[in-house]
């Protein structure tokens, strides 16, 4: 028969209860209840003993053990053998445990004679936690917020624990065998808030990696305090050190302030300029999310630095300015904001500004500075997205970073045209009647410099600081023919299409569109328009067959198609000055074009309803009927064979006159998952032009026109190692990548790019860039150590070493 002993001790003599102190968290209650199986030994009015499945309950605390002794005179409970402790979210595992209810202290020993193990749980109620009867059940329930091993601690008045000599792990690792820990002479832990340590030592697999006189760790995601220092380095600015301070400004706001210093690098020739920065700096990041309508949280980031390096010529970062004073105060910042305004109205702002044009290349390793980047865009939009329509207002600013001019100055420079503003309204394809569908797009845009109405490029239309002004018309403030001027354009484009089934075999989709563009030029007060209609038809069919059944079913489809489209005539201003892709869309004589395509796909089944593309072959041929010649030939091939995936794309233009580069695109890639999710390798190839000036996107036409291709004098001897020898010539890039993910947490990645330059008289392969990344993290992902290094041309060297600890932050980058 199971014996049961229930002891209720009074707090006062009058009531017959023995007083038991309670903490503000009610961990130690006003009464004590002791239960046990089989046999209970009692010393009248003093000592109670419960053996076998012994359970002691007081307040929110539960102790389970093979034997529990409680002395109601000294208010001490002693548990022996397989001891389990639950105090609200705190769970303990010990062999011997003593709890003094009077002075609120606890001492404990583990099975090896050392300290006992304790863990703070999350995601589980105190009632469910207290109901667990075995160590296995207690270890599995909920999530581990932090764990520690100690021989004793004291309960403080504010619900915190004052630990004696102990080891602490602030994450969800194995309680009994953590991969890393903080050993300390003493610590104070406030669950859900913070932990502070005296003379801490951080150990990874028992190896000391960090020693400090004092350490503070936030145990909540919004606790103010110092974050881990950040140490970075690059070939541009050398060693860089920052110390972030995180400040909580409420539930919806926080601020991070990071003072730091960049030690810089010295140029080989002190008489020349160089990239990079040197000197003190201060970064500030403000994040906010006051309402659910701001999603994701908004962010404002600003960094100021006092650059101690010498100033450079704004036209060339490698030439010192006259007198070469210090660069002085510089900085950059950005704003990110997205918000739902209600009634399907949304707002978004993405703003990024640099104090001068060279700062981007000074702070961005591998930026290339060789015309890889032209401008930094900043946009702000507000739009309404309905079920059948879209209406939006957009502002766009583009900061030209090709030159080192300050952002705010009156220095004459190439003029950038901005979108000030653009209004758009569109109705996507909607059914009208019968097989007829319709859509319409309306856009009102104003393109203009921020100040004034002129591009003022001169009569040649090219404002390039490195070229002389041939006739003195550049920058004279007077409009000259050939120059750009502020312009407003109203563009309207309705479209109709219908789909007809031809005998269940073919599908015919004829379409008709009309575009009307009205132009108002603000300097000359001229108004023009351009209009054209476009007619076309798309004819296609699909043949398919399924092979196999169930999970092994494979579907093969063949889709041939023919498309014809034509703009018979352009009315009004046949050839407006090109500001963007709309102006360049149609030639003055219109066009009559066609395309024949054949597309094949092989799909395999994945799961109950999913599919996976196993193979693809697309071939398309364009035709220009007006010029009576073939157009561009394009193709794509994809094949998946088990763990191997291969893909290739290409575009070939053999028949367009006056084109130097016939092979306009060629790219290929093959990847092999040698061991799924563990080991993979890939090889890639692409053919590119040496100067990205020649392949800029249409939107870049808002910037000053690029330089014409540089012509080399064949009589001038040029070394094949000279960059001038490869100007405007194609470059073949071969990339090799390999990655390995080991089951014990080690990840390694390596990538290399080899270039082959072939300007007809030279054939120079070279190792262009290399990158190596190594990281290690245990299975619980409580911490991660990562190292990376990349080597590129010139000063493009970058490295980083970081240690990330949950709730503690990242050391390094």
């Amino acid at each position: 028969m199971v014996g049961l002993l229930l002891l209720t001790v009074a707090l006062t003599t009058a009531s017959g209860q023995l007083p038991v102190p309670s903490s503000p968290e009610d961990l130690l209650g006003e009464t004590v209840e002791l239960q046990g199986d089989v046999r209970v030994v009692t010393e009248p009015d003093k000592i109670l003993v419960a053996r076998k499945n012994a359970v002691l309950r007081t307040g929110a605390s539960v102790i389970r053990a093979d034997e529990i002794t409680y002395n109601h005179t000294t208010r001490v409970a002693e548990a022996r053998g397989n001891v389990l402790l639950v105090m609200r979210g705190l769970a303990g595992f010990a062999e011997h445990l003593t709890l003094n209810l009077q002075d609120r202290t606890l001492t404990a020993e583990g099975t090896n004679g050392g300290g006992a193990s304790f863990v703070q749980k999350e995601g589980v109620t105190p009632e469910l936690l207290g109901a667990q009867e075995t160590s296995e059940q207690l270890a599995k329930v909920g999530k581990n917020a932090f764990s520690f091993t100690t021989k004793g601690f004291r309960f403080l008045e504010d619900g915190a624990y004052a630990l004696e000599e102990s080891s602490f792990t602030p994450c969800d690792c194995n309680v009994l065998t953590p991969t890393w820990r903080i050993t300390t002479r003493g610590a104070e832990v406030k669950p859900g808030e913070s932990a502070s340590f005296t003379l801490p030592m951080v150990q990874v697999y028992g190896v000391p990696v960090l020693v400090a006189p004092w350490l503070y760790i936030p145990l909540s995601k919004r606790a103010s305090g110092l974050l881990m220092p950040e140490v970075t380095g690059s070939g541009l600015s050398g060693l860089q050190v920052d110390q972030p301070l995180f400040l909580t400004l409420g539930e919806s706001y926080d601020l991070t302030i990071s003072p730091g210093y960049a030690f810089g690098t010295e140029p080989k020739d002190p008489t020349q300029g160089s990239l990079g920065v040197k000197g003190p700096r201060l970064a500030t990041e403000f994040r906010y999310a006051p309402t659910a309508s701001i999603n994701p949280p908004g962010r404002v980031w600003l960094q100021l630095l006092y650059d101690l390096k010498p100033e450079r010529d704004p036209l060339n970062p490698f030439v010192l300015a006259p007198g070469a004073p210090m660069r002085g105060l510089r900085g950059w910042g950005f704003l990110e904001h997205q918000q739902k305004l209600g009634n399907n109205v949304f707002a978004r702002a993405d703003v990024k500004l640099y104090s001068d044009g060279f700062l981007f290349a000074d702070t961005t390793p591998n930026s290339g500075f060789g015309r890889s980047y032209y401008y930094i865009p900043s946009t702000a939009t507000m739009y309404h997205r309905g079920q059948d329509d879209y209406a939006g207002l957009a502002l766009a600013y583009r900061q030209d970073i090709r030159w080192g001019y300050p952002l705010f100055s009156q220095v004459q420079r190439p003029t950038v045209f901005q979108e000030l503003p653009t209004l758009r309204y569109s109705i996507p394809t909607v059914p009208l009647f019968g097989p007829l569908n319709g859509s319409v797009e309306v856009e009102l845009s104003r393109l203009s410099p921020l100040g004034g109405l002129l591009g003022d490029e001169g009569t040649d239309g090219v404002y390039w600081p490195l070229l002389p002004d041939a006739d003195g018309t550049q920058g004279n403030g007077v409009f000259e023919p050939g120059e750009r001027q502020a312009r407003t354009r109203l563009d309207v484009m309705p479209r109709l299409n219908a789909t007809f089934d031809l005998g269940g075999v073919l599908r015919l989709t004829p379409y008709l569109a009309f575009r009307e563009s009205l132009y108002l030029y603000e300097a000359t007060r001229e108004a023009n328009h351009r209009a054209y209609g476009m007619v076309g038809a798309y004819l296609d069919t699909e043949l398919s067959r399924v092979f196999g059944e169930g999970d092994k079913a494979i579907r093969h489809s063949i889709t041939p198609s023919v498309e014809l489209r034509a703009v018979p005539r352009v009315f009004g201003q046949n050839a407006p000055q090109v500001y963007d892709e709309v102006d360049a869309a149609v030639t003055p004589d219109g066009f009559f074009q066609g395309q024949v395509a054949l597309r094949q796909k092989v799909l395999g089944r994945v799961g109950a309803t999913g599919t996976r593309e196993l193979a693809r072959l697309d071939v398309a041929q364009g035709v220009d009927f007006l010029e009576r010649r073939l157009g561009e030939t394009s193709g794509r091939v994809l094949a998946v064979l088990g763990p191997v995936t291969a893909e290739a794309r290409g575009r070939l233009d053999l028949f367009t006159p006056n084109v130097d580069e016939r092979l306009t695109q060629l790219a290929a890639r093959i990847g092999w998952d040698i061991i799924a999710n563990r080991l993979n390798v890939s090889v890639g190839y692409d053919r590119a032009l040496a100067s990205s000036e020649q392949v800029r996107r249409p939107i870049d036409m808002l910037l000053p026109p690029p330089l014409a291709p540089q012509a080399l004098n064949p009589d001038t001897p040029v070394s094949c190692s000279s960059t001038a020898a490869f100007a405007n010539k194609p470059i073949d890039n071969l990339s090799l990548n390999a990655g390995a993910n080991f089951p014990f947490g080690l990840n390694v990645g390596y990538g290399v790019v080899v270039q082959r330059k072939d300007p007809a008289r030279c054939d120079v392969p070279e190792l262009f860039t290399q990158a190596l990344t190594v990281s290690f993290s245990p299975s619980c992902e409580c911490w991660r150590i990562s190292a990376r290094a990349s080597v590129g041309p010139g000063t493009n060297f970058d490295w980083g070493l970081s240690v990330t600890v949950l709730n503690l932050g990242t050391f390094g980058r």
Side-chain angles (χ1 to χ4, degrees):
M1 180 177 179
V2 178
L4 173 65
L5 176 66
L6 173 63
L7 171 67
T8 303
V9 209
L11 285 173
T12 64
T13 306
S15 62
Q17 291 185 334
L18 186 69
V20 179
S22 62
S23 70
E25 294 292 328
D26 196 28
L27 294 176
L28 308 177
E30 298 179 354
T31 61
V32 175
E33 179 183 318
L34 182 62
Q35 298 175 350
D37 274 355
V38 180
R39 183 183 179 194
V40 176
V41 179
T42 318
E43 182 177 330
D45 300 327
K46 186 176 181 180
I47 298 176
L48 302 173
V49 180
R51 296 189 178 96
K52 288 191 178 182
N53 298 322
V55 180
L56 183 147
R57 302 179 187 273
T58 172
S61 301
V62 179
I63 300 177
R64 301 179 186 273
D66 295 339
E67 178 182 296
I68 299 178
T69 300
Y70 179 72
N71 188 321
H72 65 79
T73 301
T74 59
R75 304 165 191 168
V76 174
E78 187 174 3
R80 298 181 180 85
N82 301 310
V83 182
L84 301 180
L85 169 72
V86 173
M87 289 184 167
R88 287 195 181 273
L90 183 68
F93 309 84
E95 186 64 25
H96 184 197
L97 181 146
T98 301
L99 175 63
N100 190 319
L101 303 179
Q102 184 170 349
D103 59 13
R104 301 173 186 171
T105 60
L106 182 150
T107 60
E109 291 184 3
T111 55
N112 57 0
S117 298
F118 298 85
V119 59
Q120 186 74 33
K121 292 287 187 176
E122 288 182 341
V124 59
T125 63
E127 293 78 14
L128 179 59
L129 196 63
Q132 308 306 308
E133 298 181 355
T134 66
S135 59
E136 291 79 8
Q137 294 173 344
L138 199 58
K140 291 180 180 179
V141 69
K143 181 181 178 181
N144 301 338
F146 60 82
S147 60
F148 57 90
T149 301
T150 184
K151 287 187 175 182
F153 59 87
R154 180 166 55 90
F155 300 98
L156 303 181
E157 290 292 339
D158 57 358
Y161 317 131
L163 306 182
E164 299 175 2
E165 186 173 344
S166 60
S167 66
F168 186 87
T169 304
C171 59
D172 189 17
C173 273
N174 188 305
V175 178
L176 301 179
T177 58
T179 56
W180 80 283
R181 66 184 69 195
I182 302 172
T183 59
T184 177
R185 293 287 182 87
E188 183 174 317
V189 181
K190 295 181 180 179
E193 295 185 21
S194 63
S196 59
F197 305 91
T198 303
L199 297 177
M201 176 186 295
V202 179
Q203 297 181 350
V204 178
Y205 289 108
V207 179
V209 296
L210 177 66
V211 180
W214 182 80
L215 184 64
Y216 172 89
I217 295 180
L219 298 179
S220 69
K221 295 182 179 180
R222 298 193 54 78
S224 298
L226 289 173
L227 303 180
M228 290 291 286
E230 296 181 358
V231 180
T232 59
S234 71
L236 292 176
S237 302
L239 181 66
Q240 302 166 71
V241 181
D242 298 273
Q243 175 56 67
L245 171 63
F246 180 78
L247 300 175
T248 302
L249 306 180
E251 290 297 324
S252 304
Y253 305 89
D254 59 60
L255 179 69
T256 303
I257 301 174
S258 303
Y261 194 89
F263 290 88
T265 58
E266 298 300 327
K268 295 180 180 179
D269 186 348
T271 64
Q272 296 182 352
S274 62
L275 298 178
V277 298
K278 177 182 180 180
R281 60 189 183 187
L282 177 66
T284 303
E285 181 181 15
F286 174 66
R287 299 193 308 165
Y288 59 93
T291 64
S293 63
I294 298 179
N295 188 23
R299 184 164 66 135
V300 180
W301 187 90
L302 174 67
Q303 181 167 102
L304 299 176
L305 65 94
Y306 195 84
D307 198 345
L308 302 178
K309 300 190 76 171
E311 187 58 87
R312 298 152 295 181
D313 188 311
L315 302 183
N316 192 331
F318 304 105
V319 175
L320 292 179
M326 284 191 302
R327 299 174 188 172
L329 186 64
R330 309 172 76 193
W332 70 99
F334 58 81
L335 163 68
E336 296 176 352
H337 180 88
Q338 297 182 44
Q339 186 171 0
K340 299 177 182 178
L341 302 179
N343 297 320
N344 292 324
V345 178
F346 303 85
R348 175 168 182 164
D350 295 281
V351 179
K352 190 170 187 178
L353 298 173
Y354 286 82
S355 61
D356 60 87
F358 284 162
L359 186 55
F360 176 82
D362 284 335
T363 56
T364 308
N366 296 317
S367 65
F369 214 84
R371 305 297 180 251
S372 294
Y373 298 90
Y374 297 92
Y375 63 84
I376 299 295
S378 297
T379 59
T381 59
M382 185 171 66
Y383 59 94
H384 173 272
R385 186 173 57 211
Q387 184 175 357
D388 295 322
D389 67 337
Y390 169 91
L393 167 67
L395 296 170
Y397 172 78
R398 293 169 176 83
Q399 181 184 359
D400 192 346
I401 60 171
R402 291 173 295 182
W403 322 107
Y405 299 111
L407 177 62
F408 302 106
S409 71
Q410 300 300 319
V411 179
Q412 187 178 4
R413 68 185 82 183
T415 303
V416 179
F417 277 60
Q418 317 292 353
E419 294 185 43
L420 305 169
T422 297
L423 294 169
R424 293 184 179 90
Y425 179 77
S426 66
I427 299 177
T429 302
V430 294
L432 297 178
F433 55 86
L436 195 63
N437 301 304
S439 65
V440 64
E441 296 182 11
V442 181
E443 179 182 280
L444 177 65
S445 62
R446 181 176 183 266
L447 301 178
S448 170
L450 281 181
L453 302 176
L454 298 179
D456 218 357
E457 300 93 350
T459 55
D460 59 359
V462 177
Y463 190 167
W464 198 261
L466 302 179
L467 290 180
D469 183 14
D471 56 9
T473 58
Q474 180 175 290
N476 61 4
V478 179
F479 176 76
E480 307 286 349
E483 295 181 336
R484 296 181 301 165
Q485 55 181 310
R487 185 200 72 182
T488 300
R489 182 188 65 209
L490 175 63
D491 187 70
V492 182
M493 187 174 179
R495 179 185 174 104
L496 297 173
N497 68 77
T499 301
F500 300 96
D501 181 36
L502 303 181
V505 177
L506 297 175
R507 180 174 54 189
L508 176 65
T509 305
Y511 55 86
L512 177 67
F514 180 79
R515 168 167 265 161
E516 171 67 41
S517 299
L518 303 176
Y519 298 90
L520 174 61
Y521 297 95
E522 300 181 20
T524 60
R525 300 293 182 178
E526 294 179 344
N528 288 306
H529 87 101
R530 184 178 68 152
Y532 58 85
M534 183 169 64
V535 60
Y538 186 81
L539 181 68
D540 70 324
T541 186
E542 181 179 89
L543 305 175
S544 65
R545 183 177 178 181
V546 177
F547 301 88
E549 297 180 352
D551 296 340
K552 298 182 179 180
I554 294 178
R555 182 177 185 270
H556 177 217
S557 63
I558 302 175
T559 306
S561 64
V562 177
E563 182 178 10
L564 300 176
R565 62 176 185 166
V567 172
R569 183 178 177 183
V570 178
F571 300 91
Q573 188 182 18
N574 291 348
Q577 194 170 9
V578 174
Y579 284 45
D580 60 11
E581 64 273 20
V582 175
D583 300 331
V586 175
T587 62
D589 297 328
F591 60 77
F592 182 21
Q593 301 170 345
Q595 186 186 70
V596 180
L598 179 66
R599 297 175 173 86
Q600 297 188 68
K601 288 194 301 184
V602 178
L603 301 177
R605 185 178 295 278
V606 176
T609 59
T611 59
R612 179 190 182 193
E613 193 172 46
L614 301 178
R616 172 186 286 268
L617 175 61
D618 297 340
V619 179
Q621 175 63 60
V623 181
D624 191 319
F625 294 104
L626 288 184
E627 297 186 11
R628 298 182 180 181
R629 61 173 175 81
L630 294 177
E632 187 179 66
T633 305
S634 62
R636 177 192 175 194
V637 59
L638 169 70
V640 178
L641 184 60
V644 179
T645 301
E647 182 178 11
R649 299 171 182 266
R651 291 180 177 274
L652 185 64
D653 189 350
L654 295 176
F655 303 99
T656 302
N658 302 320
V659 173
D660 294 331
E661 279 299 317
R662 298 295 181 181
L663 185 61
T664 57
Q665 180 189 16
L666 181 61
R669 180 185 178 276
I670 181 170
W672 180 19
D673 285 332
I674 303 174
I675 302 176
N677 301 320
R678 293 297 182 190
L679 181 62
N680 63 83
V681 295
S682 65
V683 179
Y685 168 83
D686 70 271
R687 182 177 177 84
L689 293 175
S691 173
S692 57
E693 289 277 9
Q694 302 171 5
V695 292
R696 299 192 303 169
R697 296 177 299 167
I699 197 64
D700 288 337
M701 285 183 278
L702 293 175
L703 272 68
L707 284 175
Q710 180 180 354
L712 292 177
N713 186 348
D715 299 328
T716 302
V718 178
S719 169
C720 288
S721 61
S722 170
T723 56
F726 304 103
N728 315 304
K729 299 298 181 179
I731 295 178
D732 298 321
N733 289 315
L734 179 66
S735 61
L736 306 172
N737 296 279
N741 303 321
F742 296 95
F744 52 87
L746 178 66
N747 302 320
V748 180
Y750 176 75
V752 59
V753 175
V754 178
Q755 284 191 348
R756 176 181 174 270
K757 300 178 179 180
D758 184 9
R761 51 181 165 179
C762 299
D763 189 350
V764 184
E766 66 174 0
L767 190 63
F768 188 65
T769 60
Q770 295 184 82
L772 176 66
T773 60
V774 180
S775 67
F776 179 79
S777 176
S779 58
C780 61
E781 296 186 354
C782 290
W783 59 273
R784 176 181 293 272
I785 182 170
S786 303
R788 59 174 177 79
S790 62
V791 181
T795 60
N796 294 327
F797 171 72
D798 191 25
W799 65 268
L801 175 67
S802 66
V803 178
T804 301
V805 179
L806 190 67
N807 292 332
L808 186 58
T810 299
F811 176 82
R813 176 174 65 93

